[in-house]
């Protein structure tokens, strides 16, 4: 039941299966049950809408990859923010401590703009971060120069935003 946030291929909607916009037009529409036709995940319809330029950005619910997987399958950017950054008011919870509202767009800059617009405290959602907690997080990052660079408003436009940061990859 993809329309209610459950599903890995977005094939069981009341309106029929969602179609990945990158699927070849020559493929039979009836064969869309196979993986190469699917936009993936329960938020695949939103990902397909963004990928086909129907909208600039879309929101989706993400518990175990339902925003990030369709974004990858459709060739767009998918972002699952930290728990509590975006209000879940109105979202049907499946795994309460895992559910978040995610953002899909064609570019990181578009995701950032949407995130800045929707990442606000919400008194209707008791799991949403308060303004005081957000301030403490932002103040704490100022004592770590690398974190302040990553959280700054202009890091996307920076020429080398990750310069000087070490990333460890286990062997």
């Amino acid at each position: 039941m993809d329309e209610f946030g459950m599903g890995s291929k977005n094939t069981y909607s009341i309106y029929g299966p969602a179609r990945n916009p990158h699927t070849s037009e020559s493929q039979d529409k009836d064969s869309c049950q196979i993986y190469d036709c699917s936009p993936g995940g329960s938020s695949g319809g939103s990902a397909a809408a963004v990928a086909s330029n129907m909208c600039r950005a879309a929101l989706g619910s993400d518990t175990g990859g339902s925003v990030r997987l369709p974004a990858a399958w459709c060739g767009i950017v998918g972002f699952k923010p930290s728990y509590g950054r975006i209000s879940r008011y109105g979202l049907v919870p499946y795994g309460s401590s895992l559910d978040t509202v995610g953002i899909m767009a064609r570019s990181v800059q578009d995701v950032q703009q949407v995130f800045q617009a929707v990442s606000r405290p919400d008194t209707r959602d008791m799991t949403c971060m308060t303004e005081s907690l957000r301030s403490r997080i932002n103040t704490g990052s100022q004592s770590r120069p690398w974190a302040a660079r990553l959280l700054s408003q202009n890091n996307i436009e920076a020429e080398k935003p990750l310069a000087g940061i070490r990333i460890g990859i286990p062997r």
Side-chain angles (χ1 to χ4, degrees), residues 75-133:
I76 61 172
V77 178
F79 174 62
K80 179 180 180 178
S82 297
Y83 185 78
R85 280 290 187 171
I86 297 176
S87 174
R88 299 181 316 160
Y89 181 74
L91 185 69
V92 176
Y94 290 107
S96 187
S97 63
L98 301 171
D99 291 335
T100 61
V101 172
I103 304 167
M104 292 172 275
R106 286 183 298 279
S107 72
V108 173
Q109 290 86 353
D110 287 346
V111 168
Q112 183 184 30
Q113 288 177 347
V114 173
F115 180 69
Q116 289 171 352
V118 299
S119 178
R120 303 276 185 255
D122 185 355
T123 56
R124 297 171 297 181
D125 177 8
M126 64 185 207
T127 67
C128 192
M129 291 181 185
T130 62
E131 188 59 47
S132 63
L133 178 57

